[in-house]
Amino acid sequence: MTLDFEQEYGKELGLDYEELALRVANATLDYEKCPYEAEIGLTLVNDDAIREINRQFRQTDKPTDVLSFPLVDYETPGEFDFLEEKDDCFNPESGELMLGDIIISLDRVEAQAKEYGHGVTREYAFLIAHSMLHLMGYDHMEEAEAAVMEKKQEAVLQSLGITR
């Protein structure tokens, strides 16, 4: 897996951001049985930066914890069979499936870890797993969809021994 990693905000939470992101992203791909090597972009920012991105792309003028920008439109979440028929899903140089980009606010990681009563490792890993599922077509707009995502996120984190 290729991770295009950028840390635009120097907040240190005592984590190896890149290594943990790779572990969680790979575990999520494995859990979903993705048959391809994949690439994603991950950018770490502060609340001000994610607020601006949220305003620009979602017309919501407030900070959020994570934004996901999938590059593939899935007919069925987590179903990869149709991808070989599409030329524009794969990086022509590496052959990897281009899933999309993730942007995380480290300010939100820290605040939500405190709010939910768990560590920053758990919160950061949760946001990576959550966003990876979005990049594979999952959503949580309806209650049933949210339940599916919650189950998958928890299973990925449990597989890595990252618990509350």
Side-chain angles (χ1 to χ4, degrees):
M1 178 176 163
T2 299
L3 174 65
D4 182 16
F5 179 80
E6 291 185 44
Q7 186 170 351
E8 294 182 358
Y9 182 40
K11 184 179 228 50
E12 288 302 325
L13 298 176
L15 304 176
D16 183 336
Y17 298 119
E18 194 168 357
E19 186 274 333
L20 183 55
L22 275 168
R23 282 182 43 225
V24 175
N26 277 317
T28 309
L29 290 166
D30 290 346
Y31 184 83
E32 286 297 299
K33 297 178 178 44
C34 179
Y36 306 105
E37 289 295 316
E39 69 179 55
I40 62 167
L42 172 61
T43 304
L44 305 180
V45 298
N46 64 14
D47 273 354
D48 291 339
I50 208 164
R51 177 181 184 168
E52 177 57 28
I53 297 164
N54 204 18
R55 186 191 61 72
Q56 182 179 357
F57 289 96
R58 297 180 63 230
Q59 293 71 52
T60 303
D61 191 14
K62 66 179 187 176
T64 188
D65 51 6
V66 63
L67 292 169
S68 308
F69 296 95
L71 291 176
V72 177
D73 288 325
Y74 290 84
E75 295 173 23
T76 304
E79 290 291 326
F80 304 98
D81 295 341
F82 75 100
L83 293 175
E84 290 193 23
E85 299 168 11
K86 297 180 66 131
D87 296 351
D88 60 346
C89 296
F90 297 92
N91 182 319
E93 293 176 19
S94 68
E96 291 179 313
L97 173 61
M98 298 181 299
L99 287 175
D101 295 305
I102 300 170
I103 301 172
I104 292 178
S105 167
L106 293 178
D107 292 332
R108 297 284 87 222
V109 169
E110 185 175 45
Q112 289 176 181
K114 289 177 186 168
E115 179 182 339
Y116 299 135
H118 55 243
V120 291
T121 299
R122 167 69 163 80
E123 187 63 22
Y124 180 73
F126 170 84
L127 294 175
I128 298 289
H130 179 85
S131 197
M132 285 297 294
L133 290 170
H134 278 308
L135 296 184
M136 291 183 273
Y138 291 92
D139 209 343
H140 48 81
M141 298 303 288
E142 297 175 14
E143 194 173 315
E145 292 174 329
V148 168
M149 278 190 77
E150 288 169 17
K151 178 183 174 200
K152 290 175 179 288
Q153 291 159 174
E154 199 55 43
V156 167
L157 296 178
Q158 287 286 333
S159 76
L160 295 168
I162 301 173
T163 58
R164 291 182 184 262

